[in-house]
Amino acid sequence: MAYDNLKTRVVGVEIGMETTIMAIVDIRGNILAKSSFPTSNNPNVADYISRLSENIINLVESNGGYESIRSVGISAPSSNFCSGSIVNAPNLPWKGVIPLSAMLRDRIGMAVALGNNAHARAIGEQAYGAAHGLKDFILVTLGGGVGSCFFSNGQPHLGQDGFCGEIGHTCVEPGGRQCGCGNKGCLEMYTSAKGIVLTAKEIMATSEEPSLMRQVENLTFAQVVAFSHQGDAVAIEALRRAGTLLGMGLANYASIVNPEAIIFTGNVTHAGDWLFEPAKKEFDKHVFHNIRGKVKFLTSSLEEDEIDVLGASALAWEVEEYSLFK
Ligand SMILES: [Zn+2]
């Protein structure tokens, strides 16, 4: 084999609700070049694919060309690695089933891997971050939504249809808050950024507890965290309740899959100990006794604004190289 033909770079793409970010990433996870364009002003998916392929081609051509680029990996919400499709994404402009991998591959002539955010982050953390060297672990995304991916014996477990890991839509409060998925009482409704803000508002509406947050008109999750760090009792209580439900949900999860570690990613992790101390306490209370005390709680070691493109780039190595002759 001629070693000068080895392709050592991939393109990682993060499709976010607002912005699409793409980067050329080498085999060690170094970002060599980066660009972006708005996702949200492309209501038609065919137009979006055109813009995405133009942007990828521009980025590649202005940074060394195609010779060294092996494939493309994409991280997007509600994505299915097995089918290469985005499936009924509530937060993207395109409805129904979008066979994104095939559509993009046909435009750019490179293999395309597609995965949801949790799957891509888990692969990224295993390749370049906190999960490096771990074989059995759970990665949890705590942000606008709550998701997860778990690795078993070094491989991501995807499930029969690729929808494995939806911890955000497991029930922690029977008959509780209405979730966008159609069910009630889903974990995501209590431990996502939005869910924690709702809890803070609920506490203020049902108690006399003084709180600086009462003067804030459009309370955000970042403000709840900032107030908790100032010692605000309501903010701390909102995070404690979220942590408690999170700990219980994860204890059930860990009792089933027996992980070495749980890795937390996303902006909700900014709550720090106000969230994780009650979470750990509840986790230890409910987890199966033979694994109690053995599951590490870790936070991501990747930069928050790079974790999704890095994860997507790690995903790109999971597909076979595209060839017209296969
Ligand atoms: Zn749900």
Side-chain angles (χ1 to χ4, degrees):
M1 183 190 274
Y3 285 101
D4 52 358
N5 283 342
L6 279 180
K7 295 182 175 176
T8 57
R9 297 174 177 183
V10 293
V11 176
V13 181
E14 171 196 357
I15 302 180
M17 279 186 268
E18 300 296 324
T19 310
T20 297
I21 301 170
M22 64 205 72
I24 296 177
V25 184
D26 74 11
I27 200 161
R28 296 192 185 279
N30 299 307
I31 293 177
L32 307 172
K34 212 169 167 180
S35 73
S36 64
F37 67 94
T39 309
S40 42
N41 54 11
N42 294 282
N44 182 314
V45 72
D47 295 342
Y48 176 76
I49 301 277
S50 295
R51 292 208 64 190
L52 180 58
S53 36
E54 281 161 23
N55 276 273
I56 291 173
I57 290 165
N58 284 341
L59 182 71
V60 169
E61 284 183 346
S62 50
N63 290 281
Y66 284 97
E67 277 70 51
S68 60
I69 308 281
R70 183 187 176 278
S71 46
V72 177
I74 301 177
S75 165
S78 308
S79 291
N80 189 314
F81 180 80
C82 302
S83 65
S85 301
I86 297 179
V87 186
N88 303 323
N91 299 321
L92 291 175
W94 324 295
K95 300 304 157 210
V97 179
I98 315 288
L100 191 83
S101 288
M103 289 169 89
L104 186 64
R105 181 198 60 212
D106 291 346
R107 293 290 291 266
I108 61 175
M110 277 192 282
V112 178
L114 175 71
N116 68 35
N117 309 102
H119 180 194
R121 285 181 185 186
I123 288 193
E125 291 287 345
Q126 194 205 32
Y128 314 122
H132 196 71
L134 300 185
K135 285 178 135 186
D136 294 270
F137 67 92
I138 298 171
L139 177 130
V140 179
T141 61
L142 296 168
V146 174
S148 85
C149 176
F150 78 91
F151 267 60
S152 174
N153 200 20
Q155 294 298 319
H157 184 89
L158 300 176
Q160 158 81 11
D161 293 310
F163 292 111
C164 185
E166 291 292 350
I167 189 182
H169 300 286
T170 56
C171 187
V172 290
E173 284 282 2
R177 291 177 190 162
Q178 180 68 50
C179 179
C181 76
N183 287 339
K184 283 183 173 173
C186 292
L187 182 69
E188 177 169 303
M189 294 311 296
Y190 300 89
T191 59
S192 62
K194 212 166 42 182
I196 294 170
V197 170
L198 270 176
T199 303
K201 287 180 177 169
E202 219 171 69
I203 298 167
M204 289 190 279
T206 55
S207 79
E208 298 294 312
E209 186 69 47
S211 171
L212 294 166
M213 293 191 295
R214 290 184 188 275
Q215 283 130 45
V216 180
E217 210 169 303
N218 293 311
L219 188 66
T220 64
F221 175 71
Q223 287 168 324
V224 175
V225 173
F227 283 116
S228 73
H229 292 327
Q230 290 169 31
D232 189 282
V234 173
I236 291 169
E237 175 61 12
L239 292 169
R240 189 197 63 78
R241 291 187 191 181
T244 302
L245 290 174
L246 180 64
M248 190 176 72
L250 290 175
N252 292 338
Y253 199 162
S255 297
I256 295 167
V257 307
N258 186 194
E260 186 178 348
I262 301 175
I263 296 155
F264 297 94
T265 67
N267 68 330
V268 170
T269 63
H270 300 170
D273 286 347
W274 293 122
L275 180 78
F276 289 117
E277 265 180 23
K280 193 75 171 69
K281 202 169 141 202
E282 198 71 6
F283 180 86
D284 286 337
K285 197 159 107 191
H286 293 286
V287 78
F288 184 60
H289 62 93
N290 282 343
I291 66 169
R292 189 173 296 136
K294 293 180 182 168
V295 185
K296 290 182 261 241
F297 275 28
L298 305 173
T299 45
S300 167
S301 62
L302 302 176
E303 296 292 329
E304 208 166 273
D305 59 347
E306 292 183 347
I307 186 172
D308 289 302
V309 274
L310 281 179
S313 79
L315 208 56
W317 296 99
E318 302 283 305
V319 280
E320 265 190 56
E321 234 179 287
Y322 178 70
S323 163
L324 283 173
F325 310 107
K326 262 184 250 171

